[in-house]
Amino acid sequence: MLKDYYSVLGISYPSTSEEIRTAYNAKKESLGKESSNSNDSNYQSRVEVELAYRILGASYILKTAYDGEYEKAMAEGFDDYEVKHESLLSDIERERDFVVNRLLNPNFKMPKTSSTKEKSWSMKVLGCLGKGFLIYLCLMTFVYVKKCSRDRVRDSYENQSTYVSTENADSKLMRFAAEKNAMLPQDMDENITTQEVLIESDALVYVYKVDDDFFAEFKTHAQSREIQLGNLRTVYKEMKPMIDLLIETHRGIYYRYICRESGETTEFKIYYSDLVDLQ
């Protein structure tokens, strides 16, 4: 039996990525924020909606495999059809585990495996000594800080580079986009005009307005995902800090082109799952 995830989002097959994203946001909003709590009556519906979006809107490879089985199920009937794509089933279960244990439970931590071996008395003694030494160091550090003036403490921290930023990944990504918008030239050349860098719910989006000829060339280029991913692998080291932020916030990279003459829009997408595979 194959579950109809298009029906879960309230859309028909086939649907564009924009239609999938719009339907997902509408469903999530209708269920309410409380549906992310496992005690809420809408929790199971929220799980299915998140899973449907992970399958249809977050991974190009997973959506392609699912659509192939979906077409067969439409011909045979969803209740009678048995999925023969084993890797698809395992991928769906993996995404379900991600939704339940990570996406809807941000405080989830893998349980620590308990050791079957009991520590020897010498290791216990060393452990106690280590803890005592750490306590001693903490006390001495506290006394030292109290004795030092505020200026000397500040200088010491600056010299030792001990400042640790408390900025979260979303804030860093917003700052990155703001810096990019400030640095990018508005007129790159006669064919391309850079508009802006946007942050959407599922991607960091580079938006360009281009002329008619360049737009036609780009539409052809955008069909080859292997070229896109190959280009990204080439500059992976330079883009790694940004990629790490995107992975941490579960976003991909979209390149969106707008034709200056007709206003037509096209884009290619490097999904979150693609970025994870680059690691």
Side-chain angles (χ1 to χ4, degrees):
M1 177 178 177
L2 181 70
K3 187 162 182 96
D4 186 352
Y5 288 109
Y6 283 97
S7 296
V8 171
L9 294 180
I11 54 179
S12 59
Y13 172 85
S15 295
T16 64
S17 58
E18 184 63 32
E19 291 171 338
I20 292 170
R21 182 166 57 247
T22 301
Y24 161 70
N25 289 330
K27 280 284 186 180
K28 187 169 68 170
E29 185 176 348
S30 68
L31 290 173
K33 293 182 179 179
E34 290 300 320
S35 61
S36 61
N37 188 328
S38 59
N39 295 323
D40 189 79
S41 58
N42 290 327
Y43 177 74
Q44 288 303 324
S45 298
R46 177 68 182 277
V47 170
E48 293 303 318
V49 167
E50 294 290 349
L51 180 58
Y53 183 69
R54 298 291 304 171
I55 293 170
L56 302 178
S59 171
Y60 174 83
I61 296 173
L62 184 53
K63 181 179 184 299
T64 301
Y66 177 80
D67 284 350
E69 294 294 312
Y70 188 90
E71 292 176 355
K72 297 175 185 177
M74 283 196 301
E76 297 183 22
F78 284 92
D79 293 334
D80 300 327
Y81 181 72
E82 292 186 8
V83 180
K84 302 175 181 62
H85 199 310
E86 294 296 332
S87 62
L88 173 62
L89 293 175
S90 62
D91 287 344
I92 291 175
E93 286 307 310
R94 180 196 65 199
E95 293 297 336
R96 182 181 293 277
D97 180 71
F98 176 85
V99 168
V100 173
N101 294 324
R102 294 294 182 90
L103 197 60
L104 298 183
N105 184 10
N107 297 321
F108 173 79
K109 292 183 179 179
M110 290 296 290
K112 295 181 179 179
T113 55
S114 57
S115 175
T116 55
K117 293 184 179 179
E118 187 177 351
K119 294 181 179 179
S120 64
W121 66 269
S122 58
M123 291 299 294
K124 291 180 180 179
V125 171
L126 287 174
C128 291
L129 290 175
K131 291 178 181 178
F133 182 68
L134 286 175
I135 293 172
Y136 171 77
L137 283 179
C138 291
L139 290 173
M140 292 301 295
T141 301
F142 177 76
V143 172
Y144 171 77
V145 171
K146 292 292 288 184
K147 287 182 179 180
C148 292
S149 66
R150 183 177 298 174
D151 291 339
R152 288 188 62 186
V153 171
R154 184 178 63 248
D155 292 342
S156 175
Y157 272 72
E158 290 176 351
N159 292 334
Q160 297 176 23
S161 302
T162 56
Y163 174 78
V164 178
S165 174
T166 58
E167 192 177 22
N168 61 33
D170 276 308
S171 299
K172 289 180 181 177
L173 199 58
M174 292 178 64
R175 180 163 53 81
F176 172 85
E179 291 173 355
K180 278 288 185 183
N181 282 321
M183 292 168 53
L184 287 173
Q186 283 305 300
D187 292 313
M188 296 179 67
D189 59 35
E190 62 184 13
N191 297 319
I192 308 172
T193 300
T194 300
Q195 297 298 303
E196 58 185 332
V197 180
L198 306 176
I199 298 177
E200 295 185 353
S201 61
D202 57 345
L204 181 71
V205 186
Y206 289 82
V207 182
Y208 302 94
K209 185 173 285 187
V210 301
D211 65 21
D212 195 58
D213 292 337
F214 192 86
F215 184 82
E217 292 178 8
F218 177 78
K219 285 181 69 175
T220 302
H221 168 75
Q223 303 305 313
S224 175
R225 295 191 56 77
E226 287 303 318
I227 292 177
Q228 299 164 22
L229 293 175
N231 292 340
L232 186 59
R233 290 188 184 96
T234 302
V235 295
Y236 174 74
K237 289 185 179 179
E238 289 78 9
M239 296 183 66
K240 188 176 187 306
M242 184 195 72
I243 291 174
D244 289 342
L245 287 176
L246 293 174
I247 291 175
E248 191 171 347
T249 57
H250 307 298
R251 287 180 171 91
I253 307 174
Y254 293 178
Y255 292 86
R256 185 174 298 149
Y257 280 64
I258 304 171
C259 183
R260 281 195 295 223
E261 284 75 13
S262 66
E264 184 181 356
T265 300
T266 188
E267 61 185 17
F268 73 72
K269 303 180 178 183
I270 299 173
Y271 296 94
Y272 164 85
S273 57
D274 296 325
L275 298 179
V276 172
D277 290 339
L278 289 175
Q279 298 295 297

